[in-house]
Structure formats: C-alpha cells, structure tokens
C-alpha cells in the first residue's frame, strides 16, 4: 500500500465517522436511547433504588406495659432500621400487615415480664414475607435488635450469661453493606450495553433499509473502513457515558473506587468494543432495523440486566442458568466492575476476565467483518 | 497492447447474463434470462422496459452489487465477476433511492462523497461551484436532505455522483416520482455532460420520451432484451402503423381510446388533445378506415409507439392483461342536470403549516362523472389539497364540500360515497388478497347478499382468482394495483380519489388503468386524480396545474395546451404547456422577488 | 349492531396481522415464555451456595462439630482450608470464596469454660445483598448450634428469645416474590409493543390513510387497535400464570376471578400506554424503542427487584403513576396472600385510573396528530 492509499483510507474513515456522528446527533431516537436513558438510569440507581431496608415500619403490640416491655419498645425505636408504631390489638396489627402498611409485627404478650423473670420470655416477630428478600433482611435486623437489647439488659442487671459461640464479623470491600455500592458500578454494564449494542444494532440495518449502502458500495470505501467508522462515534459516546457515570458515582453517590482508574477505563473500553461487536454483528446479519433492535434487546440488554450478576447474584442461580451466563460478556464485565470499584486491582480477577473479553471482542468484530460484504442480498 | 477498433471502445460488455431471485413463495423468478449488452465510450444508453423487466438487476450486476448466476461482465476492461472488487473510483452510481443521507445537509452529503471518492481538496471549490450552478442547489447547502423536495433530492443525488469526474455514470430510474420540470433540468445536465466531457452514461427510465434523448435505447422485457438501437431505429418498429385520428366533435377522445383498445389489431391508443394517436400491431400499406374516426393521418412514430408494438408482440406469449368486464359499478347514467351539479366544491381553500402556506386560496368545482386532474411540480401543494379533499387533513380556512360534506367532520356514512387509492397501493401486506377484500367489505358495512355479490364482482372484474390466498405482500405489483382498486370500489362509491396511481407504473399497466377509469367515468363515477405523467392529463375532462400552493391554470386539456404556444411551437404537447406555465410562474416570482 | 360488526372486522384483521407478521408474532410467542423461564430462575436473591474458606486453628472436637453442622446445612460449601488469613485472602479476592471463617485456637476451651467463643467471619461485600444474606444464614446456624450447646450444658437459656414467623412466604423464597411479579412486566412489554406497533405498522405501510377514509370513526379505530393486544395480553398472562403456578410451583391462594380482573385492568392500562407511544412514533422501530424507553423505568420503579419502601420519598411518589407498580403488588398479594378483589382495590383503582387517563390522552393525541 502506498502512502497515498493510506492517506485516502484515513480520509475516508474520518469522513464516514463524521457522517455517523452527525446522524447520531440528529436522530431523536438515538438521543433518547444513548443520552436520556443512561442519565435516567444513573439517577434512578443512584438515588432511587436500594436493597437496603431502613426505617422499616413495624407494628408493636404492647399487651404488657411493664418497664421491661417498655425497654424492648425502646430498643426497636432506637434502631435506625425500624420505625415502630404502637398498636393496641393484634387484630389491628394483622390488618395493617395484610394491607402492607407495616412490614412486621412485634408482639409482647401480657405475661412477658413474668416470663422474663422466669427466664423464658418470648418476643414474637411476624414478618410479611411477600417480598422475601426484604423479609429476610428485616428478620436479621430484628435479631440484631433483640440481641443488643439482651446484652444491654445483662450488662445493667449484672448477669453473666454469655452465648457459647458468637460471631465477630468483618465485611470486606463494603463495610456498611450499602447496596448502592454494587448497583451503581453495575449500572455501567447497562449503559455500555445500551450504547454499544442497542444503538449500533440499528446503524448498519438503517443503511440497508434506506438504500444508502447501494450508493456507498459503489464508492471505493472498504468494509473494514465502514465498520471502523461506525465504531468510532459510538465508542466515543460510550466513553463519555462512562466518564459521566464514574464521576456521578464518585461525587454524587460516594461510591469508593479502590482500583486504578486507568484499569477501569481500559476494561470498560474493552467491554464497549465487545458490545459494539454484538450490535454490529446483529445489525449486519438482520439488515432490518426493527428485527435488529428486537434481537439486540433480547440478546444483549435483557441478559445484561438479568443474567450478569448485576442485580441477581450468579451464585444464586440454578446450574443450568448459571451455565448460560458463561457466554455472556456482561458477566465478565460485572465481575471486573465490582472488583475494581470496591476491592481494588486484584489481578487474579482482572486478568482472566479481561482475557475472555478480549477474545470475545476479536471474535465478534471479526465475524462482523466477514459478514459485511459489498454485495446486495 | 494491441490496437482497439475505432474510437468508441466498449466501456461495458455483458455476455449471456442470468440472475434469479427467490420469489418469497418457495419458487424463483428469473430477473435476467440471458442478457448481452455492449456500451461504448461516449454513448448515452437508455434502458427502458416495464416494471420487473430486469433493468435494476442488470444495473446492479454491472455495478458489482450482485453476482450473476452465469455470464460475464467487463466494466472498464475489468472482469467484475471474477474480481468482484466494487467501488471502482472511475465509476459513479446513483441508485433508485438516490443514496442520500437524510440526516445530513446538502453540503455534508457532497463532502462525504467527495471524501469517499478522494477528490483532492484543491479541486473541490471549483467542482462544487460547477455542480451548484448546474443543479441550482447553491442556496440550500445548509438544508437537511430530508427537507428537500423530490426533484431537489434527485439533483443532489446526481451532484453526489458527479462530485468526482467519472468515466462511467450509471443512473437507476433517476426521474421516477419527479415532476416534469425537474426531469427536464436533470436531462439537460446529463446531455451537457455527454456532449462536453464525453462521459459514458447508462440510465434506466420508465419515461420513453426521455429515452428518445439518448443515442442508444435498449428495450427490456421479462429479463430479455427485445430490441436495441438508436431511438429512431426502435421507433421504426411502429413505422407505417402509427396514425392520428380526428374524432367527431361529440366524441370524447378517452372514450374513443377505450373502445379502440378493445380491437385486437390495435397495439396502442392514447388521447392527444382532441385527437387520438393510434398504433396498429401490423404494418398497413395504406391508411385504413377507422371506426369512430372522422379522419386519419399517418404520423412519424415516436419511441413510445415502437416500444408498444414490441411489447404487444412479446406479451402475446406472456400473461394477457386483465380482461375488462363491463359490469356496471353505478348503473344510472348521468342526466344533463346531474352533470351540472358540483360533486366537489372548493372555495378559497387555505392550508398552513406554521408559517408555511402549502395551499393558498384554491378554487375549483368538479361535476358528476368528470375525470379531474391535479397536476403540479413536487411540493406544489397538490398532495395537501388532495388530503384535505379526502378528509385526512383539516383545512386552515376556506370551504370544501365533497358530495355535500366536509369529510373530516362528516359522519361515517358520508364516507360511503368515497373510494380512495393511496399513492403506494396500501394494503395489509400480511393478509391474503381475499382477507383484504373481506376486511374492506366489512369496513364499508357490506353484509348479506350484497356483500357476497360485491366480493364476487371484485374477484372477477379484477381477475384476482389466481392470487386469492396469497399474502398481499408477495404478489406482483400489477395484482397489488388491481386489488387496491377493487378495495376502493367494493362499496360502489360515487367519487374516487386516486393519488398518483400510475407513478412508477409501466406503459402497459397505465393503459389498462386508464381504460378502467374511463369506464367508471362513463358510469357516472367522479374521479379525482393526481399524476406526474403529462400525457395522462389528456384523459382528464378538466385539470388544474398548481405551484407553490396556488392554481396557475385550469381548464380542459385543450385549453391548457394553448398555454404552451410559443414562437416555433404551434402544436404544444401537454408537457411543453406544463413546463411553460411553471417556468412563467417562476420567472414572475423571481421578478417580484427582485423588485 | 353495525358498529359491532365493523369493530369485529377490525379486530379480526388486527389479530390476523399480529399472527401473520413474523415481527409481531415474535413478540407474542417464543421469547416471552423463554424469558419467563430463564429469568424466573435467574431472578432470585436466595443464596443456596456459599463457598467458604476455613481457617481452623482450634482443630478440636468442638470445631469439627461446628463445621459438620455448617456443611450439613447444604448451603455452605468448603472450597479450601488455609492456615491464616493471608493464605485465604486470594480466594476471597478472586471471588472463589464468599467468606472466610476463622475458628480461633481457644474455641473449644472457651466453650468448655463457659466463656463466649468468638468465630471470626470475613465476608466479600462486593455484592452487599449476598453478603448480608450469607451472614444471616451463618447467624441462624450459630443460633441452632448455641441452643444445642446450651441444652447439653444444662445452662439457662437467655431470659428472652425472639420467635420469628413469616407470613405468606414461610420459607422466604425470593422466587415466590419475583416470579409472580414478572408476569406483569412481560405482558406489559408485549402488549405495549403490539399496540404501538399496530398503528406504526399501518403508518409504515401507508394503510392508515386508507383506514381513515373508510366509514370507521376514530373511536372504532382505537377500539380495533386496543382490543386485539388486550386479548393477546390476557392469553399471554394466562399462559405465564400457569407457568408460575405449575412450573415454578408458586402457591396461588386467591380466587380465579381476582387474578383475571387484575390482569384485565393492567393489560388495558398497558394498551393505553402503548397507544400513547404509537401516537408519537411513525415507524415500527420507533414504536419498539419508545416502548423500551418507557418500560425500562417502569420496571425499575415497580418494586419488582428493589422494594418501593426503600426508595426516597420523591421517587416513591413518582411510582404512583406507574401501573406496573400496582400490578406487581396486586399479583403478589393475590398469589401469596390470597387477597380478594375488595382487598386489592387500592391497587385496582389507580390502575383503572391510569388506563382511563392514558386512553383519553392517546385518543386526544390521535385526533391532533393525524
């Protein structure tokens, strides 16, 4: 290849990516998909969505009004996890629970203080477990509150009645168990998939549909150049999205970033290439915008949301479903993200996951290149 | 290298090309069945032929966009089949859809193609200036391509193809859906190119008068070449067979045409002002006695006449055109009193889109049983007027009555009076032919015996039996058109609206279409039609020419023709008259703007 | 009567188009059911597999007893043993283990002398929900272990204990909470896409004008456009309901009429939203993406994955205009709580209001735009 050929090649790529960028900026549906939706997701995940229950409304049925019972009330009221309200009958409390107005009922029977002296008092806790996950957390909180109350009581009464075995717990990477810390980084996988796969799924199909490929194919532009120039603008948009999301998670939502930013951006760029590969491959294969967007939703976005370990831990899935996740690039990216944000540069996580993503990027983009022939039909 | 035979070396050489496509129903259609063609340098070659003749397939094969099933193609001495590297930089191509990016501006589209063709930056300013001068697009460089009118898009498409200086220019139906004025301008550009820069041009077109401007015409039909040669040579196929008939005063030309076409010896008949142009299938030694005519005169055949003769000869072996039965749609004949009664009345009709006035104080009346034409360049406001008439668009001010109602606010039963055939023959593609008919029968509330009777009528009249259970999306275009008409006529409307019903339709199908319309009008149906084909205006009783939202001319075809009179043109064609009216208006506007 | 026949014709044509157009057939059949099954299994917060690294410095009979108790739970699986935290750390880092359990040297001595023996736990907090659940499980096992120890030691139990009962979902299976809620999400997506597409398809093919010039009134056209997706949505809900009930074995305690009414009101609301999307989109692809952009926040703000009560007040207020929120709640209650129609009024009434509002708005937009 001569110097001149190379120069012309570069000029064609620049011209084509400029065209692509303009089209992207002038198409309202790509604005909605590539800019409005990611921002909405960042805000929702940062401010709105959380798995951490706080100030759980509970009903406390005080059939006993002794000082001991009062101190149990005090323990629940003093906890930041609960917002108790006194209810005078169990019947009323049941109604509140069924209607979903409270998430649990604490019942102190009238024999509570008598039993307490006898050493076998029962604090009855009823949880509404329609939302099982929340119920489990709420029950754990209740255990904690009662244990603390007991310890306090033993201290003040000078009893010496230790538990035989106790746990000294330590949580690494996310001491306060704040769910936002793993939801917000995971969000990056959604944004990158949205921009990388869903948006680009439309761009090749659009040219087929509008008949512009016919004119383009008659020019000296080569398929590789077409692919490169379609990647460039969406890659840039994806990186802008990444920068915004990382900044927002650090400054607005105070998610720690313990790994190095460089590695984070590098692996994100890699995943973005994989997503672009998926989008372009779908687009090249289907040649139809509608089917392409449908396929991109089903094959890239929904799995990235449901099967990547972003919200639902892969370890909780049955083996058959967990096996499916191995072919999903999102799975590897989520593992990288959670590690890089919360744990740091742990190379035993970074290296294998990066290697797999790299392999996928090469495979997908290579297949796209092979499929895109300058022929109609 | 050995010497090549005298000056015009072949630029394109095709040998025995075959290409077939799956037809969506498990079979294959043969788009090309053994086509051999040679295009020499400096020639302007026209590919003409009805829809589905294989013109586009041939062009795409030559461009290397498709690969042939068998055969050989050489373009600029390179074997396209064996070394399928497309995108030869000396060839420019303009596909049917123009290949423009609608989200880009005029300038951006040009820049893109200049970059792709590696046009040196130094040459661009000069090149752009020349292209803008040629296409008149200089004022619109910042406008998005999607906001251009059809004619402007087509010129921009051409400009993009000419942004480099190609040795071969290939154009696929560049003038379809474009008004006569723009068409004329485009051809002026092409002729200029061939003459001054001696470029080779290959262009396909459904307009035969355009092919007459080329120095070589290739007539294609059903994947084969029927004839080729200079336009004169092709036209000569109709020598000694073409006549102009003068009609008795009381006979309408279109009615004479309708009955003349039923004679087996007649290849073609079209109205020409108050006369009829007739082409016979066989040569005659002397002028025969024609029925219906008061006088006859032999005339020089046009390319179109030769084309029709060739097609009629070839078509005898293919499928015959749908027979036209004479079951009446509306039985009553119109009385004289009725024909005075305006069925459509439009007074001071105005439609604004924001600041833009699309229709500006338009007035006309249409009487019962009339065929009324709405003509005008792209963007003239005829579609807007049409949509208001059908009740699809509210009017900004003025008065509009169709069968006594404004259809937009009319109660449902008023719409029973109206049949509508949209531009693209819009039917439910996934439903079968029969399901479409049944649906429209229900939509118009046909039930019981009448429903059965009308459905049978539609199947028979339009000869749809063969495709009854086929999905509408997969049947040939000819059937789609017939089905669209059938659906619009099921409920026996008294007014029929037809929006560019013949755009992109080949001459054979157009003849069939007009025959049917004439029959309907005879039965008292009022027909309102828009069209780009000026010769079709001849079928109308009265027509209006619109531009920039205003009516420029109105009257009978003969009256409109008179507007085309100029020194040197004693017998102006409809096309000439139209172009003249439009040009006068533009000049007047220019003057007003300049003053 | 005539009106009835005409609408019937529209519905028949529309159903024909849905099932004959491969693009919309795709929306109705395979994928929704596949999604239900795959995502039904994937969408769970229940941990049934906690890999851990053991650092047993005690190596005593008590520690062995504790470990066998742990392994007997069926949830905890030992992936490796290590001598100290430094050795164990890489396993946690690389996510091969979820927690590190360190049993100190004095474990047995402390238990025997009646002092509190401390077990040290280090959990991977990268997924805070998983970590919290894992620690919860560990607490349960230690509680059991303690109560056995206390019995054998014949020492007094603590003077008070917490007795926990879980209503409606006694085993706290999060699948019981997720899977019924997903019925709404999947039907919503399908119904909205179908409704939005049916108008866009006509615009794309140019048949909409053809329809408007027939004697159909706008109201009839709207009815003809919304009823078929509603029917399809109901059918789809029924199929998915059966999958939830019999494939995933989620108990249904409510009456059949309750769930049918629930589906009906919700599907009408979804069709209304679909019609809204369709009134502003001119191609099928725009309709699809528009639906997606709308359904996405609806799904996130429905309480399906993250509870609404965990959201800040302002976001909670926004969820009040989200029909999916009411549907998820109502379907869960109908399933697990056996709620009656009367009890579901707080959900059904807002859903009906949303349905009415979206249909009215859509019809207004239609008249304005066409």
């Amino acid at each position: 290849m001569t110097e001149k050929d190379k120069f012309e090649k570069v000029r064609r790529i620049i011209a084509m990516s400029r065209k692509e960028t303009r089209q992207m900026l002038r198409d309202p549906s790509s604005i909605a998909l590539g800019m409005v939706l990611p921002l909405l997701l960042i805000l929702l995940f940062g401010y709105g969505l959380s798995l951490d229950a706080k100030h759980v409304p509970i009903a406390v049925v005080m059939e006993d009004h002794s000082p001991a019972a009062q101190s149990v009330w005090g323990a629940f009221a003093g906890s930041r996890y609960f917002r108790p309200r006194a209810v005078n009958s169990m019947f009323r409390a049941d109604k509140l629970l069924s209607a979903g107005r409270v998430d649990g009922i604490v019942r102190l029977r009238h024999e509570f203080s008598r039993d307490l002296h006898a050493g076998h008092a029962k604090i009855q806790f009823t949880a509404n477990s329609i939302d099982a996950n929340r119920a489990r957390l709420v029950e754990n909180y209740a255990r904690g509150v009662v244990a603390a109350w007991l310890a306090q009581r033993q201290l003040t009464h000078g009893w010496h009645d230790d538990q035989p075995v106790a746990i000294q717990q330590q949580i690494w990477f996310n001491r306060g168990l704040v769910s936002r810390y793993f939801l917000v980084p995971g969000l990056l996988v959604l944004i990158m998939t949205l921009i990388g796969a869903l948006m680009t799924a439309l761009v090749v199909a659009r040219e087929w549909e509008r008949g512009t490929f016919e004119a383009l194919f008659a020019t000296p532009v080569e398929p590789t150049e077409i692919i490169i120039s379609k990647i460039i603008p969406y890659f840039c948009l994806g990186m802008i999205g990444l920068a915004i999301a990382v900044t927002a998670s650090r400054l607005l939502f105070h998610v720690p970033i313990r790994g190095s930013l460089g590695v984070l951006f590098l692996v994100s760029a890699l995943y973005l290439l994989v997503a672009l590969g998926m989008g372009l491959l779908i687009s090249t294969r289907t040649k139809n915008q509608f089917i392409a967007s449908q396929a991109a939703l089903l094959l890239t976005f929904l799995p990235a949301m449901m099967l990547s370990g972003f919200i639902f831990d892969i370890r909780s899935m049955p083996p058959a479903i967990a096996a499916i996740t191995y072919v999903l690039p999102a799975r590897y990216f989520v593992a990288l993200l959670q590690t890089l944000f919360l744990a740091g540069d742990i190379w035993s996580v970074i290296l294998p996951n990066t290697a797999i993503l790299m392999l996928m990027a090469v495979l997908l983009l290579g297949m796209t290149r092979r499929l895109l022939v300058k022929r109609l039909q | 290298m050995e010497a090549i035979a005298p000056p015009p070396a072949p630029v394109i050489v095709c040998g025995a090309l075959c290409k077939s496509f799956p037809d969506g129903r498990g079979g294959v259609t043969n788009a090309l069945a053994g086509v051999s063609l040679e295009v020499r340098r400096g020639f302007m070659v026209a590919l003409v032929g009805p829809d589905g003749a294989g013109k586009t397939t041939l062009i795409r094969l030559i461009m290397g966009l498709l690969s042939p099933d068998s055969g050989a193609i050489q373009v600029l001495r390179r074997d396209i089949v064996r070394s399928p590297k497309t995108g030869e930089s000396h060839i420019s191509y303009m596909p049917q859809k123009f290949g423009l990016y609608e989200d880009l501006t005029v300038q951006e589209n040009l820049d893109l193609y200049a970059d792709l063709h590696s046009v040196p930056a130094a040459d661009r300013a000069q090149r752009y200036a020349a292209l803008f001068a040629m296409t008149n697009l200089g004022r619109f460089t910042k406008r998005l391509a999607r906001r251009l009118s059809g004619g402007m898009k087509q010129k921009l498409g051409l400009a993009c193809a000419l942004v480099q200086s190609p040795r071969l220019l290939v154009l696929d139906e560049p003038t379809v859906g474009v008004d006569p004025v723009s068409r004329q301008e485009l051809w002026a550009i092409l002729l200029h190119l061939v003459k001054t820069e001696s470029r080779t041009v290959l262009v396909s077109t459904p307009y035969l008068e355009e092919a007459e401007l080329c120095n070589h015409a290739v007539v294609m039909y059903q994947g084969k070449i029927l004839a080729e040669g200079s336009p004169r040579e092709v036209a000569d196929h109709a020598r000694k067979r073409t006549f102009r008939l003068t009609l008795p005063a009381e006979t309408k030309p279109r009615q004479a045409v309708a009955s003349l076409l039923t004679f087996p010896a007649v290849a073609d008949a079209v109205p020409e002002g108050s006369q009829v142009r007739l082409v016979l299938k066989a040569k005659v030694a002397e002028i025969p006695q024609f029925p219906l005519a008061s006088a006859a005169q032999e005339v020089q055949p046009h390319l179109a006449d030769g084309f029709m003769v060739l097609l009629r000869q070839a078509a005898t072996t293919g499928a015959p055109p749908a027979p036209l039965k004479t079951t009446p749609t509306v039985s009553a004949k119109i009385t004289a009193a009725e024909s005075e009664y305006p069925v459509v009345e439009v007074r001071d009709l105005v439609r604004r889109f924001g600041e833009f006035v699309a229709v500006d104080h338009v007035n006309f009346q249409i009487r019962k049983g009339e065929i009324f034409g709405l003509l005008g360049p792209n963007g003239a406001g005829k579609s807007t007027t049409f949509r208001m008439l059908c009740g699809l668009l509210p009017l900004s001010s003025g008065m509009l009555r169709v069968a006594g109602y404004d259809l937009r606010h009319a109660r449902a039963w008023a719409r029973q009076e109206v049949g509508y055939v949209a531009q693209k023959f819009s039917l439910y593609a996934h439903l079968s032919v029969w399901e479409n008919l049944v649906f429209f029968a229900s939509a118009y509330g046909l039930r019981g015996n009448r429903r059965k009777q009308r459905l049978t009528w539609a199947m028979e009249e339009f000869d749809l039996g063969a495709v009854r259970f086929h999905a509408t999306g997969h049947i040939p275009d000819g059937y789609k058109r017939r089905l669209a008409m059938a659906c619009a006529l099921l409920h026996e409307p008294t007014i029929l609206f037809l929006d560019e019903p013949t755009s992109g339709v080949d001459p054979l199908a157009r003849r069939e279409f007009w025959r049917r319309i004439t029959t309907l009008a005879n039965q008292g149906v009022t027909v309102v039609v828009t069209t780009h084909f000026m010769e079709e205006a001849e079928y109308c009783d009265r027509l209006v020419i619109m531009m920039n939202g205003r009516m420029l001319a109105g009257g009978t075809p003969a009256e409109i023709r008179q507007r085309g009179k100029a020194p040197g043109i004693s017998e102006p064609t409809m096309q000439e008259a139209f172009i003249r009216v439009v040009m006068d208006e533009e000049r007047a506007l220019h003057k007003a703007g300049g003053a | 009567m005539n009106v009835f026949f005409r609408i019937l014709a529209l519905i028949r044509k529309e159903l024909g188009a849905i099932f004959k157009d491969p693009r919309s057939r795709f929306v109705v059949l395979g994928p929704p059911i596949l999604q239900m099954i795959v995502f039904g299994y994937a969408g769970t917060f229940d941990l049934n597999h906690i890999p851990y690294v053991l650092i047993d410095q005690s190596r005593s009979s008590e520690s062995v007893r504790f470990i066998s108790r742990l392994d007997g739970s069926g949830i905890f699986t030992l992936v490796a043993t290590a001598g100290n935290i430094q050795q164990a750390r890489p396993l946690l880092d690389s996510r091969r283990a979820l927690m590190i359990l360190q049993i100190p040297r004095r474990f047995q001595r402390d238990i025997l002398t009646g002092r509190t023996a401390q077990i040290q736990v280090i959990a991977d907090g990268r997924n805070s929900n998983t970590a919290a659940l894992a620690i919860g499980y560990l607490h349960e096992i230690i509680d059991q272990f303690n109560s056995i120890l206390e019995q054998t030691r014949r020492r007094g139990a603590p003077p008070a204990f917490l007795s926990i009962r879980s209503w409606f979902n006694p085993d706290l299976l999060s699948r019981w909470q997720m899977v019924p809620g997903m019925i709404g999400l999947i039907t919503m997506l399908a119904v909205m896409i179908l409704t939005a597409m049916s108008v866009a398809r006509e615009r794309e093919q140019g048949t909409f004008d053809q329809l408007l010039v027939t004697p159909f009134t706008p109201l009839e056209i709207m009815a003809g456009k919304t009823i078929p997706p509603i029917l399809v949505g109901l059918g789809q809900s029924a199929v998915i309901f059966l999958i939830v009930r019999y494939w995933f074995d989620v108990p249904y305690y409510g009456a059949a009429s309750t769930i049918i009414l629930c589906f009906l009101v919700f599907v009408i609301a979804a069709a209304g939203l679909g019609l809204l999307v369709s009134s502003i989109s001119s191609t099928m692809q725009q309709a699809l993406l528009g639906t997606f952009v709308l359904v996405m926040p609806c799904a996130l703000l429905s309480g399906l994955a993250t509870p609404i009560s965990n959201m800040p007040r302002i976001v909670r207020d926004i969820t009040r205009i989200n029909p999916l929120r009411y549907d998820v709640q109502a379907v869960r209650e109908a399933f697990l709580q056996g709620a009656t129609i009367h009890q579901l009024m707080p959900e059904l009434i807002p859903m009906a209001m949303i349905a009415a509002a979206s249909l009215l708005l859509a019809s207004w937009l239609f008249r304005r735009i066409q």
Side-chain angles (χ1 to χ4, degrees), chain C residues 116-342:
Chain C
T116 300
Q118 299 283 351
I119 294 178
Q120 203 188 3
V121 181
I122 298 168
D124 176 358
R126 270 172 281 191
N127 185 327
S128 65
N129 194 56
T130 304
L133 289 177
I135 288 174
Y137 283 126
L138 189 65
H139 269 289
E140 272 174 41
I141 285 168
I142 285 175
D143 280 353
Q144 288 165 15
F145 188 69
N146 278 348
S147 62
I148 292 167
L149 275 183
E150 274 155 359
Q151 276 167 17
T152 53
R153 279 202 266 163
R154 291 168 191 272
R155 274 184 35 176
F161 64 96
L162 187 68
S163 116
I164 294 179
R165 288 191 302 163
S166 300
W167 274 10
F168 313 129
N169 185 356
D171 295 329
L172 295 178
L173 294 172
S174 68
R175 182 161 297 140
W176 284 19
Q177 129 210 1
M178 287 299 298
V179 172
M182 281 171 68
I183 304 177
L185 178 57
I186 289 175
T187 355
M188 182 181 190
L189 201 61
V191 171
M192 277 184 67
I193 291 178
L194 283 183
T195 323
M197 270 188 354
S198 76
V199 180
R201 189 195 294 114
E202 300 229 18
R203 288 221 173 102
E204 224 173 61
Q205 296 185 352
T207 47
F208 206 53
D209 285 354
Q210 196 79 58
L211 205 59
L212 290 174
V213 296
T214 61
F216 284 120
T217 64
L219 215 63
E220 286 168 3
I221 294 179
M222 271 190 44
K225 290 278 155 207
T226 39
I227 293 173
I230 288 174
L231 293 178
V232 171
L234 281 178
Q236 208 181 50
S237 302
V239 171
I240 301 178
F241 174 85
L242 293 178
I243 294 177
V244 172
R245 178 67 193 82
Y246 294 105
W247 179 291
F248 287 109
D249 255 335
V250 181
Y252 180 74
Y253 296 117
S257 56
T258 317
I259 199 80
I260 292 173
L261 183 71
C262 214
F263 286 153
L264 182 68
V265 177
F266 175 66
V267 165
I268 294 174
L273 289 181
L275 215 53
L276 265 186
V277 172
S278 78
S279 62
I280 52 169
S281 47
S282 52
T283 64
M284 291 176 77
Q285 175 238 338
Q286 276 178 12
L288 179 76
L289 293 182
T291 306
F292 170 70
V293 171
L294 200 65
V295 169
M296 191 65 207
C298 280
L300 292 174
L301 294 175
S302 66
L304 189 58
T306 62
I308 294 190
S309 41
N310 292 357
M311 296 171 190
R313 176 159 203 105
I314 177 161
V315 181
R316 249 184 298 164
D317 288 339
I318 294 174
T319 66
R320 284 179 205 284
I321 54 166
N322 176 7
L324 189 59
R325 167 217 157 117
Y326 299 106
D327 183 68
V328 166
Q329 183 68 23
V331 172
R332 275 180 188 167
E333 285 179 15
F335 257 93
L336 302 176
Q337 207 170 316
T340 60
I341 291 176
H342 180 73

Side-chain angles (χ1 to χ4, degrees), chain A residues 272-283:
Chain A
L272 192 54
L273 281 180
V274 176
L276 285 164
M278 291 194 290
L280 289 173
L281 186 64
I282 289 171
S283 196

